[in-house]
Amino acid sequence: MALYEHVFLARQDLAQAQVDALAETATKIVEDMDGKVTKVETWGLRSLAYKIAKNRKAHYVMLNIAAPAGVVAELERQTQINEDIIRYMTVKVDELETGPSVMMRKQERSERGDRGPRGDRGDRGDRGPREDRGPRRDREDAPAAE
């Protein structure tokens, strides 16, 4: 069986339960045709780069699928019919990721408060009295200290 990643974007005005129902429907389509969904990830409500069908945001969902090509054709046909799904993309991959996807790792990192490779800079501490730091030249009419 071939391996696929199927990502779809659902309308922003849907409740999370409705988005989960869309993912369950897609899973049922795949499993009814002898395919297998190995992982379902809901990436949440995210901003779009540009408006799509009057939507500025969308619910992102990714499915990892192991199935024959006919299953993917039927899944995409059903996805096109559904008015709640504004975009979708299916990509054939060599192997499926076993752990969380890049989007989920990115989301976890932002929830933990990691500052990236530079780390948290923290408080700079006291820099001493202002007079010791030299003349102030932020205004043209201020006299230069000598």
Side-chain angles (χ1 to χ4, degrees), residues 18-92:
Q18 292 171 305
V19 175
D20 294 340
L22 288 173
E24 284 296 320
T25 303
T27 302
K28 186 174 178 342
I29 291 169
V30 171
E31 290 175 350
D32 286 347
M33 298 184 69
D34 298 327
K36 189 169 150 187
V37 175
T38 58
K39 179 170 59 170
V40 177
E41 284 187 357
T42 303
W43 296 341
L45 185 66
R46 303 177 58 88
S47 296
L48 299 171
Y50 53 89
K51 273 187 178 182
I52 301 173
K54 298 183 182 179
N55 290 285
R56 293 186 182 276
K57 293 184 175 189
H59 294 273
Y60 285 65
V61 179
M62 184 191 72
L63 306 167
N64 281 352
I65 300 170
V71 174
V72 173
E74 177 63 17
L75 177 62
E76 288 185 345
R77 187 184 75 77
Q78 293 286 339
T79 302
Q80 282 178 336
I81 293 171
N82 196 330
E83 294 177 357
D84 292 334
I85 297 176
I86 55 177
R87 283 285 192 279
Y88 68 91
M89 182 171 63
T90 307
V91 180
K92 186 174 182 178

Side-chain angles (χ1 to χ4, degrees), residues 110-128:
S110 65
E111 288 172 359
R112 284 194 320 244
D114 288 353
R115 301 285 297 183
R118 294 172 57 183
D120 187 18
R121 294 186 223 173
D123 189 21
R124 293 172 78 179
D126 189 21
R127 297 189 332 184

Side-chain angles (χ1 to χ4, degrees), residues 127-135:
R127 297 189 332 184
R130 188 161 188 89
E131 301 86 44
D132 294 344
R133 285 188 262 147

Side-chain angles (χ1 to χ4, degrees), residues 87-104:
R87 283 285 192 279
Y88 68 91
M89 182 171 63
T90 307
V91 180
K92 186 174 182 178
V93 294
D94 294 330
E95 62 181 275
L96 297 173
E97 288 187 42
T98 54
S101 67
V102 174
M103 294 298 288
M104 292 303 282

